[in-house]
Amino acid sequence: MATEASAPSEPAATSTLTRELVAERLSQLGRTADGTTFALVKLDLTDLALSNIEVLREYEHVQNLSIASNAVASLEPVAAMRSLTNLDASSNLLSSALDFEAPRGLLRVNLAWNRIERLRPLDAFNTLQVLILDSNGLLRLEGLGALTQLLILSVRANRLSVIEGLDGLNLKELYLSSNSISSLRGLETLSRLEVLDVSDNRLRDLRGLTASHVLLHELFVEQNELSSVEELAALAPLRLLRHASFGGNEALVASADYRPRAL
């Protein structure tokens, strides 16, 4: 006879992560990184009012960790998770990015909505493929030079005024919207770029886009200060470009020849 499953109990608001709470939140049976046994490899601790996560030092086999929407100020206990591949620590109280010993194969990290104002050198995290740093207080892009496997970088809604620190990267997608950037100079070496979002900045021209960006196929430049249709000439060498949006550049959009020349 089937019985109705009971709803999972809601944990009381707490600041310290306990083993009992971890046991409730572990899921997804998978092979351990060394392939010798099986373990629960996914841990979701989202929105639990946590500030103390010291107990995570005991869970070396976790590969996918979310501690989003808590009150965590340091990720140092995560260092014990040597097999970690995915980390979501968005919406916390972090003032430093990745302040722990790098796991062997960390691929994706989300640190959006924290308090990070400066990036220390991230050389040890050279396996990263995706890094999200939206809505922090970053003034500069730095410390990224060793991340040669990084494919997607998102730094929306920070305090950036120039594009820098990206030389040597192999980015395919770059998201820089909602900053105070006034020039695209600094993109020249990103020859593998396919998607670029620089909407809601202070751009008056598109200098910085060159024939080296031959793979670019999506470009978002809404809400800037472009005024002349002549600025769109920079797009001519971009033969694969299939989508370019310029809404919110009022003087440009008002130009009589904007639409035919932009298309």
Side-chain angles (χ1 to χ4, degrees):
M1 179 177 177
T3 58
E4 184 178 349
S6 59
S9 58
E10 290 293 330
T14 180
S15 62
T16 300
L17 181 60
T18 64
R19 296 180 184 87
E20 292 75 17
L21 187 51
V22 170
E24 289 180 18
R25 296 284 176 146
L26 278 168
S27 64
Q28 192 175 319
L29 187 67
R31 283 193 179 274
T32 56
D34 60 12
T36 60
T37 187
F38 289 88
L40 295 173
V41 297
K42 182 177 181 179
L43 179 55
D44 188 350
L45 301 171
T46 302
D47 197 15
L48 295 175
L50 298 171
S51 60
N52 185 335
I53 57 171
E54 285 296 314
V55 74
L56 290 182
R57 298 179 189 277
E58 302 176 15
Y59 297 90
E60 62 179 304
H61 296 305
V62 169
Q63 298 172 19
N64 192 328
L65 172 65
S66 175
I67 51 173
S69 301
N70 284 288
V72 175
S74 173
L75 295 175
E76 202 276 331
V78 174
M81 296 179 172
R82 305 307 301 152
S83 303
L84 194 65
T85 59
N86 298 279
L87 171 63
D88 185 352
S90 56
S91 297
N92 276 283
L93 303 178
L94 302 172
S95 58
S96 179
L98 303 177
D99 61 338
F100 57 95
E101 183 181 351
R104 288 182 290 263
L106 188 60
L107 300 176
R108 288 173 286 274
V109 170
N110 186 348
L111 298 176
W113 293 98
N114 275 283
R115 300 177 176 181
I116 302 166
E117 296 185 353
R118 185 170 184 177
L119 294 175
R120 65 184 184 86
L122 298 179
D123 299 23
F125 294 86
N126 57 11
T127 58
L128 274 180
Q129 296 180 1
V130 179
L131 178 58
I132 302 172
L133 292 160
D134 301 343
S135 299
N136 279 281
L138 290 172
L139 292 168
R140 299 184 61 188
L141 289 176
E142 55 190 342
L144 304 174
L147 304 186
T148 56
Q149 296 189 51
L150 193 65
L151 301 177
I152 300 175
L153 175 62
S154 185
V155 281
R156 296 179 172 111
N158 279 278
R159 299 163 63 193
L160 303 173
S161 59
V162 297
I163 300 173
E164 60 184 343
L166 302 179
D167 290 353
L169 300 189
N170 297 302
L171 294 176
K172 289 188 174 183
E173 300 180 20
L174 178 59
Y175 301 91
L176 293 165
S177 61
S178 300
N179 281 284
S180 299
I181 296 168
S182 58
S183 171
L184 293 181
R185 291 179 177 86
L187 295 177
E188 291 83 357
T189 64
L190 300 181
S191 60
R192 300 187 184 185
L193 204 59
E194 298 177 4
V195 178
L196 175 63
D197 182 358
V198 286
S199 54
D200 192 19
N201 276 284
R202 298 178 179 176
L203 297 171
R204 295 187 176 183
D205 60 58
L206 298 177
R207 294 172 195 154
L209 288 179
T210 71
S212 67
H213 299 114
V214 65
L215 299 179
L216 191 68
H217 59 254
E218 292 188 47
L219 175 64
F220 303 89
V221 200
E222 300 101 323
Q223 304 295 330
N224 275 279
E225 299 174 13
L226 300 178
S227 59
S228 171
V229 73
E230 301 302 325
E231 301 301 340
L232 303 186
L235 305 183
L238 308 180
R239 301 301 184 186
L240 297 182
L241 189 65
R242 65 171 186 257
H243 175 85
S245 53
F246 299 93
N249 292 274
E250 296 181 5
L252 174 65
V253 174
S255 171
D257 20 327
Y258 158 68
R259 184 172 298 277
R261 294 190 66 174
L263 293 176

